[in-house]
């Protein structure tokens, strides 16, 4: 057994990030400034969009929130999203003043099912928020067709999918807005952080204003050395700007995004070969018309097949010093949403079943081959050798 605990989702941090953060501290320009501008430019280049089409913010939750406002969503509007996502996706809709409506997932891809979306469209529906779950791009063709037919906006939650592409186009550029997370467990990290990509110049402009107190765009020049600039408050915004301290990490994380993706693919293939023969469900094959972001490697633990419940499996992994995650208990399982919207898990059978069976295994590019072997040995022991259960 391992001596130390393998922390789930622990990021890879290189000497470049450490040096850049130190340089920021020594420069004494900690807040929004030149490194945020560079990170935005690098991210835009990575996504193949103009630098004026992106805005760095301090989380993906913030990105989702102000994208919805900039998309014109508010009270009385319904926004359809997936029943299997992190709570932030749903909370952002609520914070924007709109009403979330859930659609069930496709049980194989775990992504929102366009047929389920279609069934939920009402005269008040104004937007769809697809989540590229685990890094696998959603069936965007079906969603885009619905959006065109019903005049809906699409705000992509790309928190899992920074590297993903769909039929050659980067995710986040397929809808009106794309929202990215640089939270500590994500594929590119800044500690806390996020990015908005928007198609329409006036919409990204509005998002920028909203991200900094609602101050006119000239306010951003306060952060330069061009002398004092007056600013005007043009609406009631938020405090969602990214700091140079955060961007300093992101710049170097983004530079390694491809190498890290390749490393995760090796780990993914190792897991696939090891777990396919066991009594667990491994992720479906990688898509052919899309590039998977490889953010989460999930197993489904069905007690009847695996001989162990999901929760006992989580405990058994922890006992073997392997950190695991659950992404996610379905949204309708949570008491707040049940009380406020009357949602019931049985109305979303696919999301509910996945949420009750799923386990995420460590997939960080920082894993050593010994770590990977330890994960494989632990899973094999737990579901392959019942005597340990
Ligand atoms: C992590 C995550 C978020 C929130 O990201 P933050 O940067 O932590 O705000 C939103 N949606 C999904 C699907 C996520 O996994």
């Amino acid at each position: 057994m391992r001596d130390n605990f393998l922390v789930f989702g622990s990021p890879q941090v290189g000497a470049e990030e450490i040096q850049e953060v130190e340089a920021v501290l020594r420069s004494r320009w900690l807040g929004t400034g030149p490194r945020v501008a560079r990170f935005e430019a690098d991210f835009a280049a990575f996504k193949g969009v103009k630098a004026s089409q992106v805005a760095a913010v301090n989380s993906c939750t913030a990105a989702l929130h102000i994208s919805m406002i900039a998309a014109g969503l508010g009270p009385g509007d319904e926004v359809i999203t997936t029943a299997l996502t992190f709570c932030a996706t749903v909370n952002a809709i609520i914070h924007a003043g709109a009403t979330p409506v859930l659609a069930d997932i496709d049980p194989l891809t775990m992504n929102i099912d366009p047929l389920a979306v279609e069934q939920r469209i009402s005269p008040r529906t104004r937007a769809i928020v697809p989540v590229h779950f685990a890094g696998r791009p959603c069936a965007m063709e079906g969603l885009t067709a619905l959006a065109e037919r019903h005049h809906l906006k699409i705000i992509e939650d790309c928190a899992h999918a920074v590297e993903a592409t769909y039929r050659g186009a980067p995710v986040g550029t397929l809808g009106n807005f794309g929202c990215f997370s640089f939270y500590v467990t994500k594929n590119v990290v800044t500690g806390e952080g996020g990015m908005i990509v928007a198609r329409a110049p006036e919409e990204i402009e509005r998002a920028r204003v909203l991200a900094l107190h609602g101050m006119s765009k000239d306010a951003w020049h306060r952060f330069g050395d061009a002398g004092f600039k007056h600013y005007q408050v043009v609406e009631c915004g938020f405090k969602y700007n990214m700091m140079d301290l955060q961007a300093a990490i992101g710049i170097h994380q983004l530079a390694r995004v491809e190498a890290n993706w390749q490393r995760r693919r090796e780990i993914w293939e190792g897991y696939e070969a090891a777990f396919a023969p066991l009594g667990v469900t491994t992720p479906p094959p990688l898509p052919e018309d899309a590039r998977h972001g490889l953010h989460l490697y999930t197993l489904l633990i069905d007690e009847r097949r695996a001989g162990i419940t999901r929760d006992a499996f989580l405990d058994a992994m922890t006992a073997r010093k392997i950190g695991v995650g659950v992404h996610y208990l379905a949204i309708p399982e949570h008491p707040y949403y049940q009380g406020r919207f009357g949602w019931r898990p049985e109305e979303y059978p696919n999301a509910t079943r996945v949420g009750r069976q799923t386990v995420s295994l460590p997939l960080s590019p920082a894993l050593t081959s010994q770590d990977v072997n330890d994960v494989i040995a632990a899973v094999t022991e737990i579901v392959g050798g019942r005597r340990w259960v």
Side-chain angles (χ1 to χ4, degrees):
M1 163 126 68
R2 302 171 56 88
D3 314 325
N4 64 334
F5 193 81
L6 183 61
V7 176
F8 178 84
S10 176
Q12 181 207 57
V13 177
E16 303 90 331
E17 284 96 309
I18 295 170
Q19 277 161 20
E20 194 83 31
V21 167
E22 190 182 334
V24 171
L25 291 170
R26 290 192 190 284
S27 79
R28 293 187 289 131
W29 191 290
L30 312 189
T32 306
R35 283 180 175 84
V36 169
R38 176 167 159 209
F39 186 43
E40 287 179 336
D42 290 357
F43 196 83
F46 172 61
K47 284 287 166 190
V49 300
K50 296 195 215 93
S52 59
Q53 283 177 276
V54 308
V57 289
N58 60 10
S59 72
C60 181
T61 308
L64 289 164
H65 181 197
I66 56 181
S67 293
M68 303 219 194
I69 299 175
L73 304 175
D77 297 338
E78 291 180 358
V79 177
I80 301 176
T81 193
T82 167
L84 189 74
T85 182
F86 186 52
C87 59
T89 317
V90 178
N91 291 350
I93 298 170
I94 300 171
H95 287 316
T99 304
V101 171
L102 299 183
D104 204 359
I105 57 167
D106 173 322
L108 191 66
T109 65
M110 303 184 197
N111 276 328
I112 196 166
D113 178 353
L115 288 174
V117 172
E118 189 165 15
Q119 287 164 3
R120 301 276 163 169
I121 291 176
S122 85
R124 295 154 85 98
T125 307
R126 294 285 174 273
I128 308 171
V129 181
V131 177
H132 304 294
F133 189 83
R136 176 183 291 269
C138 290
M140 291 306 291
E141 195 177 65
L143 297 177
T144 310
L146 285 175
E148 275 169 18
R149 191 159 356 122
H150 299 273
H151 308 290
L152 312 176
K153 300 258 178 166
I154 294 184
I155 297 160
E156 302 174 64
D157 181 335
C158 307
H160 295 179
V162 68
E163 309 88 341
T165 62
Y166 178 79
R167 302 191 178 160
V171 306
T173 67
L174 301 157
N176 302 84
F177 291 88
C179 299
F180 294 84
S181 175
F182 309 124
Y183 176 65
V184 288
T185 60
K186 302 292 159 73
N187 289 356
V188 167
V189 311
T190 61
E192 300 286 356
M195 190 76 77
I196 305 173
V197 176
R199 195 181 286 166
E202 64 283 3
E203 288 183 335
I204 193 74
E205 203 47 65
R206 174 117 190 262
R208 271 184 175 277
V209 167
L210 285 164
L212 195 65
H213 305 294
M215 298 191 307
S216 56
K217 76 171 194 206
D218 291 344
W220 289 87
H221 298 303
R222 291 188 308 146
F223 303 124
D225 50 10
F228 186 82
K229 289 276 197 299
H230 285 287
Y231 59 84
Q232 291 180 310
V233 176
V234 293
E235 65 177 313
C236 180
F238 305 90
K239 185 64 170 61
Y240 283 167
N241 54 307
M242 179 182 276
M243 298 191 290
D244 269 21
L245 261 181
Q246 297 164 302
I249 306 172
I251 288 165
H252 297 286
Q253 289 271 316
L254 191 61
R256 285 202 308 275
V257 69
E258 184 61 28
N260 286 347
W261 185 88
Q262 296 291 354
R263 171 66 185 140
R264 291 199 310 280
R265 194 169 68 165
E266 280 169 24
I267 300 170
W268 185 288
E269 283 166 0
Y271 284 168
E272 206 48 49
F275 304 143
L278 302 180
V280 294
T281 304
T282 60
L286 296 181
E288 277 168 16
D289 60 348
R291 180 190 224 216
H292 195 304
L294 307 180
H295 176 56
L296 298 172
Y297 185 92
T298 59
L299 295 177
L300 296 180
I301 309 291
D302 178 347
E303 186 183 0
R304 287 162 303 179
R305 246 183 99 203
I308 184 169
T309 67
R310 190 274 306 273
D311 287 353
F313 180 89
L314 296 173
D315 291 342
M317 290 295 279
T318 309
R320 286 165 178 78
K321 297 191 178 169
I322 309 284
V324 279
V326 171
H327 301 89
Y328 301 91
L329 206 56
I331 292 290
E333 300 258 28
H334 296 286
Y336 176 76
Y337 306 117
Q338 292 178 349
R340 180 154 173 187
F341 302 108
W343 295 335
R344 294 285 166 262
E346 13 353 314
E347 294 162 8
Y348 308 91
N350 298 332
T352 297
R353 179 182 62 83
V354 169
R356 291 178 184 176
Q357 296 186 348
T358 190
V359 177
S360 304
L361 301 181
L363 189 62
S364 164
L367 298 183
T368 64
S369 3
Q370 187 57 52
D371 293 334
V372 174
N373 288 341
D374 290 345
V375 174
I376 290 174
V379 173
T380 309
E381 204 175 83
I382 295 165
V383 296
R386 302 280 172 79
R387 66 207 155 91
W388 293 102
V389 173

